[in-house]
């Protein structure tokens, strides 16, 4: 029994990496390890930024326990945020379960292998946060030799907490969908509401965090460890070599997780069977007149339905849209703190419109819909090719969809931020123009990337949206372009902010035109060759 289970577990773990293959034949395909190293490198950079910053802050107060507590809590929250919605697709996706359940292996073993693969994903994320913090602690504080072997145990134990919560949330969502059939939009709305609530808790802490931590670290540590005791056990085990605290940490992490697997695995087959029949039973069919519509409208509606109806797609590629909507609200609430923070930037105050445009472009860059639009067609791509539609028309809709989706949000952001910061009408118009031109450029760039690195054989949408190379390259290059816009502010002498925004808008339009010309020829041929 162990050999089939080990093979299945290896298969589930490899599925986390297969999306990073560069495509093509086996000889031309890059190893999956390259993609893993790429993702780990980005995660380590983010973890190092926060981890080193918190440890350096606590070095002044001489309280390293609090720094590791904060990083542990942040690692768990980030892991939960990135795996909660993908867990439902990984554990309860019905696209390949009919094949897997037919294998000579028990449903409990199948469920356990999927959960352990989910644990591996959480382990990678939490380790990328905790390891840089531990390295910073070794630089700023004298540590005993026991710190490092205890750290290994901590790295194994911490991922159980976000994995436990992700598994519980995904099971509750799957159970609710199988019994009430609320529609595809339910999970997307639930994910957005959960993310907004998380921001509502974290945002007030962001502005007053430094003063509280540096002035009264003992009280902050007591509050954190009292609110969630495993954080205190982790810190005491690492810095005081408290083996009893380490034992309690391991028990509190592993035992609830094991019990959860035992309980949920018993009804795994039932919940999967309910999901398989949820979309076909109890539906009411009504006769109604059909209305004619435009070709572009039909293709745009198809893209919009996929965006709104796929929770993992909406949450990952729509994260910047949510932040762009909440940013003016946060600016209104924390206007004084925000203006004080902006005044400390090493740029003149008259350049704030450029900074607002850069922020809006960076948030827009995280909406990488064109980078996964073709891959999400999967085995239904041929349906677009057999329609009496020019390939150029299909590519134009996929390229323009990010701009059409975000244009109302750009208008809202530009107007509200201009009113709150006292910008002129011309500033507001140029911020809006820059964001639109930038989005037009990134749409062409992302579609080019997706044509170069398509992922048409994925078993689920999660593998495309979160694990494909085109998704990662699209988001990272988009944000890098937005950051590139701000570099001249710190390195060159910019005479006029308004003229600078006009130059940036013109440059984006020219580059977008060049990429679109390439898409009309090479891209159309490449698109037809994908089938």
């Amino acid at each position: 029994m162990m050999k089939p289970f080990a093979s299945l577990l290896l298969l589930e773990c490899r599925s986390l990496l297969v999306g990073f293959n560069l495509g093509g034949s086996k000889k031309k395909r890059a190893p999956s390890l390259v993609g893993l190293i790429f993702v780990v490198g980005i995660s380590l950079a983010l973890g190092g930024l926060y981890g080193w910053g918190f440890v350096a802050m606590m070095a002044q107060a001489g309280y390293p326990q609090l720094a590791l507590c904060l990083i542990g809590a942040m690692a768990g929250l980030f892991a939960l945020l990135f795996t909660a919605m993908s867990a439902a697709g990984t554990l309860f996706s019905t696209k390949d379960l009919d094949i897997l359940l037919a294998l000579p292996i028990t449903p409990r073993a199948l469920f356990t292998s999927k959960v352990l693969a989910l644990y591996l994903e959480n382990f990678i994320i939490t380790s990328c946060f905790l390891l840089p913090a531990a390295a910073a602690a070794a630089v700023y504080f004298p540590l005993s030799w026991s710190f490092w072997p205890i750290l290994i145990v901590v790295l194994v134990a911490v991922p159980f907490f976000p994995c436990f919560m992700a598994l519980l949330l995904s099971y509750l969502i799957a159970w609710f969908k199988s019994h009430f059939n609320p529609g595809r939009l339910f999970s997307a709305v639930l994910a957005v509401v959960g993310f907004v609530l998380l921001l509502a808790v974290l945002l007030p802490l962001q502005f007053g965090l430094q003063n509280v931590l540096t002035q009264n670290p003992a009280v902050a540590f007591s509050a954190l460890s009292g609110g969630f005791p495993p954080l205190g056990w982790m810190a005491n085990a690492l810095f005081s070599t408290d083996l009893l605290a380490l034992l309690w940490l391991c028990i509190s992490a592993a035992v609830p997780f094991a019990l959860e697997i035992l309980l949920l695995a018993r009804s795994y087959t039932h919940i999967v069977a309910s999901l398989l029949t949820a979309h076909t039973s109890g539906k009411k069919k009504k006769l109604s007149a059909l209305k004619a519509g435009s070709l572009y409208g039909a293709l745009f509606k198809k893209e919009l339905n996929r965006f709104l109806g796929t929770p993992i797609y909406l949450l990952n590629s729509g994260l910047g849209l949510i932040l762009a909507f909440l940013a003016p609200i946060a600016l209104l609430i924390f206007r004084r703190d925000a203006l004080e923070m902006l005044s400390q930037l090493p740029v003149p105050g008259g350049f704030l419109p450029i900074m607002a445009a850069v922020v809006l472009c960076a948030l827009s860059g995280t909406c990488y819909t064109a980078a996964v639009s073709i891959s999400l067609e999967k085995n239904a791509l041929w349906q677009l090719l057999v329609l009496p539609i020019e390939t150029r028309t299909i590519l134009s809709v996929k390229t323009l969809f990010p701009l059409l989706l975000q244009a109302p949000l750009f208008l809202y952001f530009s107007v509200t931020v201009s009113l709150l910061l006292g910008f002129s009408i011309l500033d507001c118009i140029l911020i809006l123009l820059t964001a639109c031109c930038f989005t037009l450029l990134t749409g062409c760039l992302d579609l080019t990337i997706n044509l170069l690195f398509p992922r048409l054989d994925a078993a689920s949408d999660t593998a495309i949206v979160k694990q494909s190379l085109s998704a990662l390259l699209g988001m990272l290059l988009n944000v890098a372009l937005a950051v590139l816009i701000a570099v001249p502010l710190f390195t060159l002498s910019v005479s006029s902010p308004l003229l600078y925004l006009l130059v940036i808008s013109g440059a984006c339009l020219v580059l977008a035109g060049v990429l679109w010309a390439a898409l009309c020829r090479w891209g159309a041929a490449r698109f037809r060759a994908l089938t």
Side-chain angles (χ1 to χ4, degrees):
M1 182 62 189
M2 289 304 297
K3 187 175 181 180
F5 175 75
S7 301
L8 190 59
L9 177 60
L10 179 62
L11 177 65
E12 293 293 339
C13 292
R14 288 183 62 185
S15 68
L16 294 175
L17 310 177
V18 70
F20 299 113
N21 286 334
L22 296 181
S25 62
K26 291 184 179 180
K27 293 182 179 180
K28 297 180 180 180
R29 187 175 298 170
S32 298
L33 184 61
V34 175
L36 177 62
I37 294 175
F38 180 78
V39 175
V40 169
I42 297 299
S43 301
L44 280 173
L46 291 175
L49 177 65
Y50 286 101
W52 208 279
F54 278 132
V55 172
M57 187 189 305
M58 288 299 97
Q60 303 174 359
Y63 218 94
Q65 297 93 327
L66 181 56
L68 266 294
C69 272
L70 289 170
I71 294 301
M74 183 174 293
L77 287 174
F78 268 78
L80 178 61
L81 179 64
F82 283 101
T83 60
M85 293 308 301
S86 63
T90 301
L91 299 174
F92 302 105
S93 174
T94 58
K95 294 184 178 180
D96 59 347
L97 283 178
D98 53 345
I99 299 176
L100 294 176
L101 289 173
L103 296 175
I105 189 169
T106 63
R108 179 173 296 183
L110 173 61
F111 180 74
T112 305
S113 65
K114 288 180 173 290
V115 172
L116 292 180
L118 180 66
Y119 167 82
L120 175 62
E121 188 175 1
N122 283 273
F123 175 79
I124 294 174
I125 295 175
T126 54
S127 296
C128 289
F129 275 86
L130 288 172
L131 285 175
V139 172
Y140 286 100
F141 302 98
L143 302 177
S144 64
W145 65 269
S146 61
F147 177 88
W148 303 107
I150 292 177
L151 177 64
I152 296 175
V153 180
V154 168
L155 292 178
V156 176
V158 168
F160 283 113
F161 295 106
C163 195
F164 174 87
M165 291 302 301
L167 177 57
L168 181 61
L169 290 175
S170 64
Y171 188 88
L172 291 175
I173 292 173
W175 181 89
F176 184 85
K177 291 174 66 176
S178 65
H179 284 75
F180 298 100
N181 192 18
R184 299 180 67 187
L185 192 59
F186 166 77
S187 299
V189 173
L190 185 64
V192 172
V193 170
F195 178 73
V196 171
L197 290 177
L198 180 63
L199 287 180
V201 173
L202 295 180
L203 194 59
L205 297 177
Q206 181 69 28
F207 290 98
L209 189 61
Q210 184 172 356
N211 293 332
V212 173
L213 296 181
T214 54
Q215 294 178 3
N216 214 335
V219 174
F221 177 75
S222 177
L224 280 174
S225 58
F228 191 65
L231 289 175
W233 296 333
M234 179 187 71
N236 292 331
L238 287 171
F239 293 98
S240 303
T241 318
D242 190 344
L243 297 182
L244 182 60
L246 181 63
L247 178 62
W248 280 115
L249 173 66
C250 295
I251 292 175
S252 64
V255 172
F257 182 69
L259 292 176
E260 185 180 36
I261 293 179
L262 292 175
L263 292 174
L264 298 184
R266 297 179 60 184
S267 55
Y268 183 60
T269 306
H270 174 71
I271 194 72
V272 168
S274 300
L275 284 172
L276 285 170
T277 58
H279 301 289
T280 58
S281 61
K283 288 188 177 180
K284 296 181 179 179
K285 301 185 185 232
K286 296 181 179 179
L287 295 176
S288 59
L290 293 177
K291 296 182 180 179
S294 66
L295 179 61
Y296 280 97
L299 292 175
F300 175 79
K301 184 178 179 181
K302 180 176 179 291
E303 295 289 335
L304 183 62
N305 288 339
R306 179 186 290 122
F307 179 76
L308 296 177
T310 308
I312 192 67
Y313 185 24
L314 175 61
L315 186 61
N316 281 268
S317 62
L319 183 62
L321 305 184
I322 302 172
L323 293 176
F325 176 77
L326 296 177
I329 300 175
L331 180 61
L332 177 63
I333 298 174
F334 303 102
R335 188 170 182 270
R336 180 181 301 177
D337 296 322
L339 290 176
E340 182 180 353
M341 185 183 303
L342 291 173
S343 64
Q344 297 176 1
L345 293 175
V347 292
F351 291 85
L352 285 181
I354 300 181
M355 299 305 299
V358 170
V359 170
L360 186 56
C361 290
L363 294 176
S364 171
T366 61
C367 184
Y368 53 93
T369 56
V372 295
S373 178
I374 297 175
S375 297
L376 287 173
E377 300 288 349
K378 291 183 284 192
N379 57 0
L381 182 64
W382 64 272
Q383 296 177 2
L384 287 177
L385 295 176
V386 299
L387 292 175
I389 304 174
E390 291 186 5
T391 306
R392 181 183 302 182
T393 303
I394 299 174
L395 296 181
S396 65
V397 172
K398 291 184 177 295
T399 302
L400 292 174
F401 176 72
L403 177 59
L404 297 176
L405 179 68
Q406 300 177 78
L409 191 63
F410 291 161
L411 180 61
Y412 155 78
F413 182 95
S414 303
V415 172
T416 52
V417 170
S418 298
L419 290 175
L420 291 172
L421 297 181
F423 296 161
S424 65
I425 297 178
L426 185 58
D427 291 334
C428 177
I429 294 174
L430 287 176
I431 292 173
L432 177 62
L433 177 65
T434 304
C436 291
C437 295
F438 178 85
T439 306
L440 188 61
L441 171 61
T442 55
C444 295
L445 178 62
D446 290 348
L447 192 64
T448 303
I449 293 172
N450 201 194
L451 286 169
L452 288 172
F453 308 111
R455 183 75 171 93
L456 300 174
D457 58 345
S460 65
D461 296 333
T462 302
I464 296 174
V465 176
K466 292 191 64 175
Q467 301 170 8
S468 66
L469 183 61
S470 61
L472 285 171
L473 287 178
M475 183 177 63
L476 292 176
L477 289 179
N478 292 349
V479 176
L481 283 175
V483 174
L484 189 63
I485 296 176
V487 170
L489 295 178
F490 303 94
T491 59
L492 302 176
S493 176
V494 180
S495 58
S496 172
L498 302 181
L499 180 61
Y500 181 76
L501 288 179
L502 280 176
V503 172
I504 292 298
S505 300
C508 289
L509 282 178
V510 171
L511 292 176
V514 173
L515 285 176
W516 175 244
L519 285 172
C520 289
R521 296 189 177 185
W522 166 84
R526 172 70 174 173
F527 184 79
R528 290 191 297 268
L530 289 178
T531 55

